[in-house]
Amino acid sequence: MSLTTSISQTQAWLESLRPKTLPLAVSAVVTGSALAVWTGHFKWPVALLALLTAAILQILSNLANDYGDVAKGSDTEKRIGPMRGMQKDLITAKQMKTALTITVLFACLSGIALITVACNSPNDIIGFLVLGLLAIVAAITYTVGTRPYGYIGLGDISVLIFFGWLSVIGTYYLQANTFSLSTVLPATACGLLSTAVLNINNLRDIETDQQNGKNTLAVRLGGKKARYYHAALLISAMICLVSFTLLYLNSGFSWLFLLSFPLLLKHMLQVLRDPTPEGMRPKLVQMVKVALLTNILFSIGLVLN
């Protein structure tokens, strides 16, 4: 193998791993851990293992998405988004299957370590083993299988559940060993922001997805309604964070997350005004950054509070 080919393959794998998506994946764990700090239940070993597990699951989802979309013909040269390794024929289907198997193994090992360190009761151990298996299955079946749920418009609800409720509330529970109703609003906000990232991605690919039978929610709604839906996601997330702060916090530092609201609103208006799929490409990176900023500022406010 030549040096050029080696470099190309390395780059291809990096493109398929999509490291730029990892900060958003772990921000839910950061939010859950910040809630644990706020209530006096923070545990470093649990938080670090939760971060590692979330990152591995995100990588698993990225690899599975590449494999599934190429296998089903959704990732074509007409797609506006960046071409990945399998699209460029630098990664074979067999190689990707091997990578998926290895990543599943790492996810299982990291998840078992997390459960071993965090769970004290048999019910908790069984419950989180089931949730972990569901997370692995969800990461793979988004685009892989005979009837992947990402192709029938269920990706958004899945992101809300796994990147919001389960990630944030689960991270908190693993450290506090108890459920708190106060975690629901931040978890919902985190999930809604992650769903907004997915919606921008689907708006970018709406034309090619429609042509290839990938009926995402954006395809089902149509471009105009999907943009209104995007605005609803962002406004709802902001309402959740404001409501939580009014109900549970009493420090000026608690409102740090408001610093990101002008960016969220600016992004929302730009999406509403730009009807083109091409215009969504820079908006995707923008949405990832502003979602991450919002979660980090909220978490810092919790810790300082």
Side-chain angles (χ1 to χ4, degrees), residues 15-37:
E15 289 170 350
S16 292
L17 291 172
R18 305 183 204 180
K20 291 182 180 180
T21 64
L22 296 183
L24 189 60
V26 302
S27 66
V29 177
V30 171
T31 301
S33 295
L35 287 164
V37 173

Side-chain angles (χ1 to χ4, degrees), residues 7-188:
I7 293 172
S8 298
Q9 280 223 322
T10 300
Q11 184 62 34
W13 280 109
L14 284 173
E15 289 170 350
S16 292
L17 291 172
R18 305 183 204 180
K20 291 182 180 180
T21 64
L22 296 183
L24 189 60
V26 302
S27 66
V29 177
V30 171
T31 301
S33 295
L35 287 164
V37 173
W38 172 59
T39 58
H41 295 104
F42 179 71
K43 298 174 183 176
W44 269 111
V46 177
L48 291 175
L49 282 169
L51 282 171
L52 177 62
T53 304
I56 294 172
L57 287 171
Q58 180 62 55
I59 289 171
L60 176 62
S61 177
N62 292 341
L63 295 176
N65 286 352
D66 281 10
Y67 177 81
D69 282 341
V70 171
K72 290 177 173 55
S74 298
D75 280 355
T76 66
E77 293 180 356
K78 294 180 180 180
R79 181 172 171 269
I80 296 172
M83 291 183 69
R84 310 292 179 186
M86 287 191 70
Q87 285 178 275
K88 297 176 179 178
D89 293 325
L90 293 172
I91 299 173
T92 66
K94 184 179 179 180
Q95 288 173 324
M96 186 60 79
K97 286 181 180 179
T98 301
L100 286 169
T101 301
I102 293 171
T103 309
V104 168
L105 177 61
F106 279 126
C108 290
L109 291 174
S110 179
I112 290 171
L114 174 60
I115 292 169
T116 301
V117 170
C119 294
N120 299 319
S121 71
N123 287 338
D124 284 351
I125 292 172
I126 294 171
F128 277 95
L129 279 173
V130 171
L131 289 175
L133 290 173
L134 285 175
I136 290 173
V137 171
I140 295 172
T141 57
Y142 178 69
T143 58
V144 176
T146 56
R147 193 166 174 78
Y149 64 89
Y151 279 65
I152 55 175
L154 297 179
D156 294 61
I157 187 62
S158 175
V159 168
L160 176 60
I161 292 171
F162 285 98
F163 285 79
W165 298 331
L166 288 185
S167 291
V168 176
I169 298 173
T171 298
Y172 176 84
Y173 187 96
L174 286 168
Q175 296 179 66
N177 297 121
T178 186
F179 169 75
S180 174
L181 187 62
S182 64
T183 60
V184 174
L185 283 170
T188 302

Side-chain angles (χ1 to χ4, degrees), residues 168 196 210 214 269 284 304:
V168 176
Q210 190 171 26
K214 188 176 182 180
L269 291 174
L284 179 59
L304 292 177

